[in-house]
PDB file of all heavy atoms in Angstrom:
ATOM      1  N   PRO A  15     -33.863  -0.613   4.362  1.00 69.00           N
ATOM      2  CA  PRO A  15     -32.772  -1.461   4.866  1.00 69.00           C
ATOM      3  C   PRO A  15     -32.003  -0.743   5.975  1.00 69.00           C
ATOM      4  O   PRO A  15     -32.114   0.454   6.138  1.00 69.00           O
ATOM      5  CB  PRO A  15     -31.874  -1.560   3.595  1.00 69.00           C
ATOM      6  CG  PRO A  15     -32.113  -0.242   2.848  1.00 69.00           C
ATOM      7  CD  PRO A  15     -33.583   0.087   3.138  1.00 69.00           C
ATOM      8  N   ASP A  16     -31.330  -1.586   6.709  1.00 75.00           N
ATOM      9  CA  ASP A  16     -30.327  -1.097   7.667  1.00 75.00           C
ATOM     10  C   ASP A  16     -28.929  -1.073   6.970  1.00 75.00           C
ATOM     11  O   ASP A  16     -28.569  -2.023   6.252  1.00 75.00           O
ATOM     12  CB  ASP A  16     -30.264  -1.988   8.877  1.00 75.00           C
ATOM     13  CG  ASP A  16     -31.452  -1.803   9.761  1.00 75.00           C
ATOM     14  OD1 ASP A  16     -32.087  -0.695   9.738  1.00 75.00           O
ATOM     15  OD2 ASP A  16     -31.850  -2.768  10.485  1.00 75.00           O
ATOM     16  N   PHE A  17     -28.194  -0.049   7.154  1.00 81.00           N
ATOM     17  CA  PHE A  17     -26.846   0.044   6.568  1.00 81.00           C
ATOM     18  C   PHE A  17     -25.850  -0.359   7.610  1.00 81.00           C
ATOM     19  O   PHE A  17     -25.724   0.270   8.655  1.00 81.00           O
ATOM     20  CB  PHE A  17     -26.635   1.484   6.073  1.00 81.00           C
ATOM     21  CG  PHE A  17     -27.471   1.880   4.882  1.00 81.00           C
ATOM     22  CD1 PHE A  17     -28.710   2.555   5.110  1.00 81.00           C
ATOM     23  CD2 PHE A  17     -27.165   1.534   3.607  1.00 81.00           C
ATOM     24  CE1 PHE A  17     -29.478   2.864   4.045  1.00 81.00           C
ATOM     25  CE2 PHE A  17     -27.971   1.867   2.524  1.00 81.00           C
ATOM     26  CZ  PHE A  17     -29.154   2.570   2.729  1.00 81.00           C
ATOM     27  N   VAL A  18     -25.034  -1.356   7.271  1.00 81.00           N
ATOM     28  CA  VAL A  18     -24.122  -1.938   8.164  1.00 81.00           C
ATOM     29  C   VAL A  18     -22.718  -1.870   7.561  1.00 81.00           C
ATOM     30  O   VAL A  18     -22.533  -2.092   6.350  1.00 81.00           O
ATOM     31  CB  VAL A  18     -24.458  -3.436   8.467  1.00 81.00           C
ATOM     32  CG1 VAL A  18     -23.470  -4.029   9.458  1.00 81.00           C
ATOM     33  CG2 VAL A  18     -25.837  -3.531   9.009  1.00 81.00           C
ATOM     34  N   GLU A  19     -21.714  -1.478   8.364  1.00 84.00           N
ATOM     35  CA  GLU A  19     -20.334  -1.398   7.877  1.00 84.00           C
ATOM     36  C   GLU A  19     -19.676  -2.756   8.022  1.00 84.00           C
ATOM     37  O   GLU A  19     -19.678  -3.368   9.148  1.00 84.00           O
ATOM     38  CB  GLU A  19     -19.584  -0.313   8.717  1.00 84.00           C
ATOM     39  CG  GLU A  19     -19.934   1.104   8.315  1.00 84.00           C
ATOM     40  CD  GLU A  19     -18.968   2.105   8.950  1.00 84.00           C
ATOM     41  OE1 GLU A  19     -18.125   1.692   9.776  1.00 84.00           O
ATOM     42  OE2 GLU A  19     -19.106   3.288   8.596  1.00 84.00           O
ATOM     43  N   ARG A  20     -19.074  -3.274   6.947  1.00 83.00           N
ATOM     44  CA  ARG A  20     -18.358  -4.488   6.956  1.00 83.00           C
ATOM     45  C   ARG A  20     -16.873  -4.188   6.801  1.00 83.00           C
ATOM     46  O   ARG A  20     -16.447  -3.423   5.938  1.00 83.00           O
ATOM     47  CB  ARG A  20     -18.795  -5.365   5.780  1.00 83.00           C
ATOM     48  CG  ARG A  20     -20.295  -5.633   5.743  1.00 83.00           C
ATOM     49  CD  ARG A  20     -20.774  -6.590   6.812  1.00 83.00           C
ATOM     50  NE  ARG A  20     -22.156  -6.975   6.703  1.00 83.00           N
ATOM     51  CZ  ARG A  20     -22.841  -7.701   7.582  1.00 83.00           C
ATOM     52  NH1 ARG A  20     -22.244  -8.102   8.668  1.00 83.00           N
ATOM     53  NH2 ARG A  20     -24.096  -8.003   7.327  1.00 83.00           N
ATOM     54  N   THR A  21     -16.079  -4.812   7.638  1.00 82.00           N
ATOM     55  CA  THR A  21     -14.597  -4.642   7.608  1.00 82.00           C
ATOM     56  C   THR A  21     -13.930  -5.941   7.182  1.00 82.00           C
ATOM     57  O   THR A  21     -14.182  -7.019   7.790  1.00 82.00           O
ATOM     58  CB  THR A  21     -14.023  -4.188   8.950  1.00 82.00           C
ATOM     59  OG1 THR A  21     -14.681  -2.973   9.383  1.00 82.00           O
ATOM     60  CG2 THR A  21     -12.561  -3.944   8.913  1.00 82.00           C
ATOM     61  N   THR A  22     -13.056  -5.877   6.207  1.00 83.00           N
ATOM     62  CA  THR A  22     -12.305  -6.952   5.737  1.00 83.00           C
ATOM     63  C   THR A  22     -10.796  -6.624   5.716  1.00 83.00           C
ATOM     64  O   THR A  22     -10.429  -5.373   5.669  1.00 83.00           O
ATOM     65  CB  THR A  22     -12.691  -7.408   4.326  1.00 83.00           C
ATOM     66  OG1 THR A  22     -12.514  -6.281   3.469  1.00 83.00           O
ATOM     67  CG2 THR A  22     -14.188  -7.833   4.309  1.00 83.00           C
ATOM     68  N   PHE A  23      -9.964  -7.602   5.731  1.00 81.00           N
ATOM     69  CA  PHE A  23      -8.486  -7.397   5.706  1.00 81.00           C
ATOM     70  C   PHE A  23      -7.891  -8.213   4.607  1.00 81.00           C
ATOM     71  O   PHE A  23      -8.252  -9.359   4.340  1.00 81.00           O
ATOM     72  CB  PHE A  23      -7.923  -7.869   7.112  1.00 81.00           C
ATOM     73  CG  PHE A  23      -8.332  -7.020   8.255  1.00 81.00           C
ATOM     74  CD1 PHE A  23      -9.416  -7.346   9.003  1.00 81.00           C
ATOM     75  CD2 PHE A  23      -7.609  -5.862   8.594  1.00 81.00           C
ATOM     76  CE1 PHE A  23      -9.831  -6.615  10.070  1.00 81.00           C
ATOM     77  CE2 PHE A  23      -8.015  -5.072   9.630  1.00 81.00           C
ATOM     78  CZ  PHE A  23      -9.105  -5.446  10.437  1.00 81.00           C
ATOM     79  N   GLU A  24      -7.000  -7.536   3.901  1.00 86.00           N
ATOM     80  CA  GLU A  24      -6.242  -8.171   2.829  1.00 86.00           C
ATOM     81  C   GLU A  24      -4.745  -8.012   3.163  1.00 86.00           C
ATOM     82  O   GLU A  24      -4.336  -7.119   3.832  1.00 86.00           O
ATOM     83  CB  GLU A  24      -6.558  -7.496   1.459  1.00 86.00           C
ATOM     84  CG  GLU A  24      -7.977  -7.646   1.050  1.00 86.00           C
ATOM     85  CD  GLU A  24      -8.218  -6.922  -0.293  1.00 86.00           C
ATOM     86  OE1 GLU A  24      -7.268  -6.345  -0.861  1.00 86.00           O
ATOM     87  OE2 GLU A  24      -9.381  -6.995  -0.832  1.00 86.00           O
ATOM     88  N   ARG A  25      -3.961  -8.974   2.653  1.00 89.00           N
ATOM     89  CA  ARG A  25      -2.497  -9.017   2.989  1.00 89.00           C
ATOM     90  C   ARG A  25      -1.709  -9.161   1.631  1.00 89.00           C
ATOM     91  O   ARG A  25      -1.195 -10.229   1.369  1.00 89.00           O
ATOM     92  CB  ARG A  25      -2.180 -10.139   3.943  1.00 89.00           C
ATOM     93  CG  ARG A  25      -2.655  -9.841   5.343  1.00 89.00           C
ATOM     94  CD  ARG A  25      -1.914 -10.698   6.403  1.00 89.00           C
ATOM     95  NE  ARG A  25      -2.216 -10.308   7.715  1.00 89.00           N
ATOM     96  CZ  ARG A  25      -1.578 -10.778   8.788  1.00 89.00           C
ATOM     97  NH1 ARG A  25      -0.649 -11.701   8.698  1.00 89.00           N
ATOM     98  NH2 ARG A  25      -1.899 -10.328  10.028  1.00 89.00           N
ATOM     99  N   PRO A  26      -1.607  -8.113   0.873  1.00 91.00           N
ATOM    100  CA  PRO A  26      -0.730  -8.135  -0.327  1.00 91.00           C
ATOM    101  C   PRO A  26       0.759  -8.084   0.074  1.00 91.00           C
ATOM    102  O   PRO A  26       1.063  -7.641   1.163  1.00 91.00           O
ATOM    103  CB  PRO A  26      -1.173  -6.954  -1.114  1.00 91.00           C
ATOM    104  CG  PRO A  26      -1.667  -5.980  -0.120  1.00 91.00           C
ATOM    105  CD  PRO A  26      -2.282  -6.797   0.988  1.00 91.00           C
ATOM    106  N   THR A  27       1.590  -8.488  -0.868  1.00 93.00           N
ATOM    107  CA  THR A  27       3.046  -8.454  -0.587  1.00 93.00           C
ATOM    108  C   THR A  27       3.769  -7.562  -1.621  1.00 93.00           C
ATOM    109  O   THR A  27       3.573  -7.713  -2.853  1.00 93.00           O
ATOM    110  CB  THR A  27       3.626  -9.932  -0.631  1.00 93.00           C
ATOM    111  OG1 THR A  27       2.954 -10.719   0.352  1.00 93.00           O
ATOM    112  CG2 THR A  27       5.119  -9.836  -0.400  1.00 93.00           C
ATOM    113  N   LEU A  28       4.576  -6.668  -1.129  1.00 93.00           N
ATOM    114  CA  LEU A  28       5.387  -5.787  -2.021  1.00 93.00           C
ATOM    115  C   LEU A  28       6.738  -6.505  -2.203  1.00 93.00           C
ATOM    116  O   LEU A  28       7.368  -6.887  -1.170  1.00 93.00           O
ATOM    117  CB  LEU A  28       5.577  -4.472  -1.401  1.00 93.00           C
ATOM    118  CG  LEU A  28       6.683  -3.552  -2.014  1.00 93.00           C
ATOM    119  CD1 LEU A  28       6.269  -3.160  -3.399  1.00 93.00           C
ATOM    120  CD2 LEU A  28       6.982  -2.394  -1.124  1.00 93.00           C
ATOM    121  N   ILE A  29       7.175  -6.676  -3.395  1.00 93.00           N
ATOM    122  CA  ILE A  29       8.499  -7.237  -3.718  1.00 93.00           C
ATOM    123  C   ILE A  29       9.284  -6.143  -4.389  1.00 93.00           C
ATOM    124  O   ILE A  29       8.935  -5.743  -5.522  1.00 93.00           O
ATOM    125  CB  ILE A  29       8.389  -8.489  -4.565  1.00 93.00           C
ATOM    126  CG1 ILE A  29       7.581  -9.535  -3.847  1.00 93.00           C
ATOM    127  CG2 ILE A  29       9.769  -9.024  -4.921  1.00 93.00           C
ATOM    128  CD1 ILE A  29       7.398 -10.829  -4.666  1.00 93.00           C
ATOM    129  N   LEU A  30      10.346  -5.679  -3.756  1.00 94.00           N
ATOM    130  CA  LEU A  30      11.193  -4.622  -4.272  1.00 94.00           C
ATOM    131  C   LEU A  30      12.531  -5.188  -4.706  1.00 94.00           C
ATOM    132  O   LEU A  30      13.342  -5.536  -3.831  1.00 94.00           O
ATOM    133  CB  LEU A  30      11.373  -3.526  -3.214  1.00 94.00           C
ATOM    134  CG  LEU A  30      12.184  -2.312  -3.612  1.00 94.00           C
ATOM    135  CD1 LEU A  30      11.535  -1.536  -4.759  1.00 94.00           C
ATOM    136  CD2 LEU A  30      12.351  -1.349  -2.406  1.00 94.00           C
ATOM    137  N   PRO A  31      12.806  -5.256  -5.990  1.00 94.00           N
ATOM    138  CA  PRO A  31      14.111  -5.775  -6.463  1.00 94.00           C
ATOM    139  C   PRO A  31      15.209  -4.725  -6.186  1.00 94.00           C
ATOM    140  O   PRO A  31      15.264  -3.655  -6.778  1.00 94.00           O
ATOM    141  CB  PRO A  31      13.937  -5.960  -7.947  1.00 94.00           C
ATOM    142  CG  PRO A  31      12.464  -5.790  -8.219  1.00 94.00           C
ATOM    143  CD  PRO A  31      11.918  -4.943  -7.108  1.00 94.00           C
ATOM    144  N   LEU A  32      16.063  -5.026  -5.209  1.00 95.00           N
ATOM    145  CA  LEU A  32      17.083  -4.066  -4.794  1.00 95.00           C
ATOM    146  C   LEU A  32      18.162  -3.760  -5.880  1.00 95.00           C
ATOM    147  O   LEU A  32      18.590  -2.604  -5.978  1.00 95.00           O
ATOM    148  CB  LEU A  32      17.786  -4.599  -3.555  1.00 95.00           C
ATOM    149  CG  LEU A  32      16.900  -4.753  -2.301  1.00 95.00           C
ATOM    150  CD1 LEU A  32      17.630  -5.410  -1.179  1.00 95.00           C
ATOM    151  CD2 LEU A  32      16.294  -3.405  -1.904  1.00 95.00           C
ATOM    152  N   PRO A  33      18.519  -4.706  -6.725  1.00 94.00           N
ATOM    153  CA  PRO A  33      19.492  -4.317  -7.817  1.00 94.00           C
ATOM    154  C   PRO A  33      18.879  -3.364  -8.837  1.00 94.00           C
ATOM    155  O   PRO A  33      19.654  -2.707  -9.570  1.00 94.00           O
ATOM    156  CB  PRO A  33      19.762  -5.681  -8.510  1.00 94.00           C
ATOM    157  CG  PRO A  33      19.468  -6.690  -7.461  1.00 94.00           C
ATOM    158  CD  PRO A  33      18.324  -6.141  -6.697  1.00 94.00           C
ATOM    159  N   GLU A  34      17.592  -3.159  -8.905  1.00 93.00           N
ATOM    160  CA  GLU A  34      16.966  -2.270  -9.837  1.00 93.00           C
ATOM    161  C   GLU A  34      16.707  -0.901  -9.355  1.00 93.00           C
ATOM    162  O   GLU A  34      16.220  -0.018 -10.008  1.00 93.00           O
ATOM    163  CB  GLU A  34      15.639  -2.875 -10.351  1.00 93.00           C
ATOM    164  CG  GLU A  34      15.779  -4.204 -11.130  1.00 93.00           C
ATOM    165  CD  GLU A  34      14.467  -4.715 -11.611  1.00 93.00           C
ATOM    166  OE1 GLU A  34      13.485  -4.021 -11.472  1.00 93.00           O
ATOM    167  OE2 GLU A  34      14.451  -5.855 -12.132  1.00 93.00           O
ATOM    168  N   VAL A  35      17.056  -0.628  -8.002  1.00 94.00           N
ATOM    169  CA  VAL A  35      16.809   0.697  -7.468  1.00 94.00           C
ATOM    170  C   VAL A  35      17.800   1.695  -8.073  1.00 94.00           C
ATOM    171  O   VAL A  35      19.007   1.514  -8.094  1.00 94.00           O
ATOM    172  CB  VAL A  35      17.025   0.613  -5.906  1.00 94.00           C
ATOM    173  CG1 VAL A  35      16.912   1.998  -5.356  1.00 94.00           C
ATOM    174  CG2 VAL A  35      15.976  -0.302  -5.276  1.00 94.00           C
ATOM    175  N   GLU A  36      17.193   2.705  -8.628  1.00 92.00           N
ATOM    176  CA  GLU A  36      18.019   3.740  -9.307  1.00 92.00           C
ATOM    177  C   GLU A  36      18.101   5.064  -8.415  1.00 92.00           C
ATOM    178  O   GLU A  36      19.197   5.676  -8.387  1.00 92.00           O
ATOM    179  CB  GLU A  36      17.396   4.115 -10.629  1.00 92.00           C
ATOM    180  CG  GLU A  36      17.487   2.998 -11.677  1.00 92.00           C
ATOM    181  CD  GLU A  36      16.971   3.399 -13.062  1.00 92.00           C
ATOM    182  OE1 GLU A  36      16.270   4.468 -13.077  1.00 92.00           O
ATOM    183  OE2 GLU A  36      17.193   2.731 -14.054  1.00 92.00           O
ATOM    184  N   ARG A  37      16.987   5.387  -7.786  1.00 92.00           N
ATOM    185  CA  ARG A  37      17.003   6.612  -7.038  1.00 92.00           C
ATOM    186  C   ARG A  37      16.082   6.500  -5.803  1.00 92.00           C
ATOM    187  O   ARG A  37      15.081   5.791  -5.818  1.00 92.00           O
ATOM    188  CB  ARG A  37      16.547   7.835  -7.868  1.00 92.00           C
ATOM    189  CG  ARG A  37      17.294   8.012  -9.147  1.00 92.00           C
ATOM    190  CD  ARG A  37      16.570   9.002 -10.067  1.00 92.00           C
ATOM    191  NE  ARG A  37      16.752  10.391  -9.606  1.00 92.00           N
ATOM    192  CZ  ARG A  37      16.102  11.428 -10.200  1.00 92.00           C
ATOM    193  NH1 ARG A  37      15.250  11.217 -11.190  1.00 92.00           N
ATOM    194  NH2 ARG A  37      16.313  12.623  -9.716  1.00 92.00           N
ATOM    195  N   VAL A  38      16.447   7.187  -4.761  1.00 95.00           N
ATOM    196  CA  VAL A  38      15.624   7.295  -3.538  1.00 95.00           C
ATOM    197  C   VAL A  38      15.359   8.790  -3.321  1.00 95.00           C
ATOM    198  O   VAL A  38      16.284   9.529  -3.048  1.00 95.00           O
ATOM    199  CB  VAL A  38      16.310   6.671  -2.309  1.00 95.00           C
ATOM    200  CG1 VAL A  38      15.376   6.853  -1.067  1.00 95.00           C
ATOM    201  CG2 VAL A  38      16.548   5.175  -2.559  1.00 95.00           C
ATOM    202  N   LEU A  39      14.128   9.211  -3.418  1.00 94.00           N
ATOM    203  CA  LEU A  39      13.752  10.594  -3.359  1.00 94.00           C
ATOM    204  C   LEU A  39      12.823  10.865  -2.218  1.00 94.00           C
ATOM    205  O   LEU A  39      12.093   9.975  -1.707  1.00 94.00           O
ATOM    206  CB  LEU A  39      13.050  11.046  -4.683  1.00 94.00           C
ATOM    207  CG  LEU A  39      13.767  10.605  -5.982  1.00 94.00           C
ATOM    208  CD1 LEU A  39      12.924  11.020  -7.196  1.00 94.00           C
ATOM    209  CD2 LEU A  39      15.112  11.277  -6.054  1.00 94.00           C
ATOM    210  N   LEU A  40      12.817  12.082  -1.722  1.00 95.00           N
ATOM    211  CA  LEU A  40      11.953  12.527  -0.615  1.00 95.00           C
ATOM    212  C   LEU A  40      11.030  13.544  -1.145  1.00 95.00           C
ATOM    213  O   LEU A  40      11.443  14.506  -1.846  1.00 95.00           O
ATOM    214  CB  LEU A  40      12.770  13.066   0.555  1.00 95.00           C
ATOM    215  CG  LEU A  40      13.182  12.053   1.645  1.00 95.00           C
ATOM    216  CD1 LEU A  40      13.991  10.947   1.075  1.00 95.00           C
ATOM    217  CD2 LEU A  40      13.922  12.768   2.757  1.00 95.00           C
ATOM    218  N   TYR A  41       9.748  13.506  -0.710  1.00 95.00           N
ATOM    219  CA  TYR A  41       8.733  14.439  -1.088  1.00 95.00           C
ATOM    220  C   TYR A  41       7.850  14.793   0.108  1.00 95.00           C
ATOM    221  O   TYR A  41       7.762  14.061   1.092  1.00 95.00           O
ATOM    222  CB  TYR A  41       7.794  13.844  -2.189  1.00 95.00           C
ATOM    223  CG  TYR A  41       8.384  13.801  -3.562  1.00 95.00           C
ATOM    224  CD1 TYR A  41       9.190  12.675  -3.915  1.00 95.00           C
ATOM    225  CD2 TYR A  41       8.270  14.820  -4.487  1.00 95.00           C
ATOM    226  CE1 TYR A  41       9.790  12.651  -5.188  1.00 95.00           C
ATOM    227  CE2 TYR A  41       8.854  14.726  -5.751  1.00 95.00           C
ATOM    228  CZ  TYR A  41       9.597  13.671  -6.084  1.00 95.00           C
ATOM    229  OH  TYR A  41      10.189  13.579  -7.331  1.00 95.00           O
ATOM    230  N   GLU A  42       7.250  15.994   0.016  1.00 91.00           N
ATOM    231  CA  GLU A  42       6.248  16.405   1.025  1.00 91.00           C
ATOM    232  C   GLU A  42       4.918  15.784   0.592  1.00 91.00           C
ATOM    233  O   GLU A  42       4.638  15.712  -0.575  1.00 91.00           O
ATOM    234  CB  GLU A  42       6.181  17.926   0.984  1.00 91.00           C
ATOM    235  CG  GLU A  42       7.413  18.614   1.556  1.00 91.00           C
ATOM    236  CD  GLU A  42       7.602  18.463   3.082  1.00 91.00           C
ATOM    237  OE1 GLU A  42       6.793  17.750   3.674  1.00 91.00           O
ATOM    238  OE2 GLU A  42       8.547  19.062   3.607  1.00 91.00           O
ATOM    239  N   PRO A  43       4.073  15.383   1.565  1.00 90.00           N
ATOM    240  CA  PRO A  43       4.303  15.367   2.972  1.00 90.00           C
ATOM    241  C   PRO A  43       4.794  14.021   3.382  1.00 90.00           C
ATOM    242  O   PRO A  43       4.037  13.019   3.401  1.00 90.00           O
ATOM    243  CB  PRO A  43       2.946  15.735   3.546  1.00 90.00           C
ATOM    244  CG  PRO A  43       1.971  15.125   2.584  1.00 90.00           C
ATOM    245  CD  PRO A  43       2.647  15.143   1.228  1.00 90.00           C
TER     246      PRO A  43
END
């Protein structure tokens, strides 16, 4: 066989409930 690269795109949605945010932390990297 010939090996061919196939590229697809997905578009999921992140829903972040702002009243439930407890902490915002920073990490490396």
Side-chain angles (χ1 to χ4, degrees):
D16 287 332
F17 292 95
V18 180
E19 288 189 350
R20 304 288 189 186
T21 301
T22 59
F23 293 92
E24 298 178 359
R25 288 199 170 189
T27 300
L28 167 70
I29 299 179
L30 180 63
L32 297 175
E34 297 182 4
V35 174
E36 293 183 347
R37 305 168 75 188
V38 177
L39 311 176
L40 269 58
Y41 285 87
E42 294 285 5

